[in-house]
Amino acid sequence: MLGPNGAGKTTLIKILCTLIFPSTGTAKVNGYDVLKESRKVRESIGYVTTDERSFYWRLTGRQNLEFFANLHNYYSKKAQSRVSDLLSIVNLEKRADDPFLSYSAGMKQRLAIARGLINDPRVLFMDEPTRSLDPKAAQDARDFIHDYIVSEQEKTIFLSTHNLNEAEQLCNRIAILDEGKIKVSGTPQELKNGLGSNSTLSDVFTSYSGKRLEEEKQPKSSFMKEMRFRHRGGLGMGRR
């Protein structure tokens, strides 16, 4: 989902995650109505946000994940086992018992991804998952999303981004949202072919929205010199 600031990307994701009510219209996720079957929607989805306020800063990474595991009805040894698996998958086991407030931006984002995977969701919503990450950390995150979450775990990702390269690298389908309305949708190649053989995704965005997409500038410092995503085995949980 591409769109300028204020287009409605985050609002749409929150509606689909049943966090806010739609003012009009209907929506379904995994075949469940977001209003009439909100509990079933929440049971089948995960949500990854870059909002650091959604974690408890004085708790450790492990304690944060165990708390959220409890909310998904995982308790005691079962919760501990699930959390340990997730910490290993996102390569945070060595810092798992450090307070969240000591984590770098890249580590906080990896913990957010681990939290989104706790309930083994069929669909994972990600709201600008690489925002504020340096280029190296952002590419590590994209590789993990593509290689592990999508290719190995076969989950559907609904992703919003300001990064055109990220959208083209990760997404099978792209929709351009502006002023609360979808202007066009299709595969990246379909959208570019619609404007001509030499068109870019930036051309498509400008053509349908009448605006230029201002991509967020990446910080120069590296948050993940010593910490990288690594591709590991599965979560140890059966497919539903």
Side-chain angles (χ1 to χ4, degrees):
M1 186 66 67
L2 289 172
N5 288 328
K9 301 185 301 297
T10 297
T11 298
L12 175 59
I13 286 178
K14 287 183 175 180
I15 289 173
L16 297 176
C17 290
T18 74
L19 296 175
I20 59 177
F21 294 127
S23 56
T24 185
T26 60
K28 290 185 177 182
V29 178
N30 287 325
Y32 302 124
D33 188 283
V34 297
L35 287 176
K36 299 176 182 178
E37 301 171 288
S38 59
R39 181 175 179 177
K40 291 183 178 180
V41 171
R42 289 192 292 272
E43 289 174 348
S44 66
I45 66 171
Y47 178 39
V48 177
T49 174
T50 55
D51 187 357
E52 297 172 354
R53 295 172 297 178
S54 62
F55 283 99
Y56 294 94
W57 280 56
R58 295 187 182 278
L59 296 183
T60 67
R62 187 187 307 277
Q63 288 170 335
N64 265 286
L65 290 186
E66 287 180 350
F67 169 77
F68 290 110
N70 291 164
L71 298 183
H72 285 289
N73 296 318
Y74 294 106
Y75 301 103
S76 188
K77 292 183 178 180
K78 187 176 181 181
Q80 293 171 8
S81 176
R82 179 67 58 85
V83 167
S84 293
D85 286 345
L86 290 166
L87 288 168
S88 177
I89 287 166
V90 299
N91 195 20
L92 279 176
E93 63 266 60
K94 292 182 179 179
R95 297 291 303 275
D97 298 308
D98 293 346
F100 179 81
L101 59 84
S102 70
Y103 285 7
S104 69
M107 294 167 64
K108 290 173 181 175
Q109 187 60 358
R110 281 184 281 159
L111 195 70
I113 292 175
R115 181 181 62 183
L117 292 171
I118 284 176
N119 62 325
D120 190 24
R122 292 172 58 189
V123 178
L124 189 63
F125 290 89
M126 309 185 87
D127 193 6
E128 298 183 35
T130 61
R131 183 177 61 186
S132 300
L133 299 185
D134 67 86
K136 180 65 171 62
Q139 188 57 52
D140 284 341
R142 293 185 200 110
D143 290 342
F144 182 79
I145 291 168
H146 180 273
D147 296 342
Y148 180 78
I149 301 177
V150 176
S151 297
E152 182 172 323
Q153 292 294 300
E154 298 181 344
K155 300 185 185 302
T156 296
I157 302 291
F158 187 106
L159 178 145
S160 72
T161 182
H162 282 170
N163 190 313
L164 293 169
N165 178 62
E166 180 170 276
E168 198 155 12
Q169 180 179 343
L170 290 178
C171 301
N172 300 109
R173 291 184 60 82
I174 291 174
I176 294 175
L177 186 72
D178 189 31
E179 298 180 354
K181 296 182 179 180
I182 293 179
K183 302 296 184 177
V184 68
S185 65
T187 69
Q189 196 59 51
E190 287 172 349
L191 297 181
K192 290 185 289 185
N193 288 344
L195 293 183
S197 58
N198 295 323
S199 297
T200 65
L201 202 54
S202 179
D203 297 329
V204 174
F205 183 88
T206 302
S207 176
Y208 284 97
S209 70
K211 304 170 185 175
R212 293 180 61 84
L213 184 63
E214 296 182 5
E215 299 185 38
E216 181 180 352
K217 294 182 179 179
Q218 300 290 350
K220 294 181 180 180
S221 60
S222 174
F223 291 105
M224 293 180 67
K225 289 182 180 179
E226 79 288 354
M227 292 286 188
R228 296 186 58 187
F229 279 105
R230 67 183 174 197
H231 181 54
R232 276 202 167 187
L235 285 170
M237 31 182 131
R239 299 289 301 164
R240 291 191 179 92

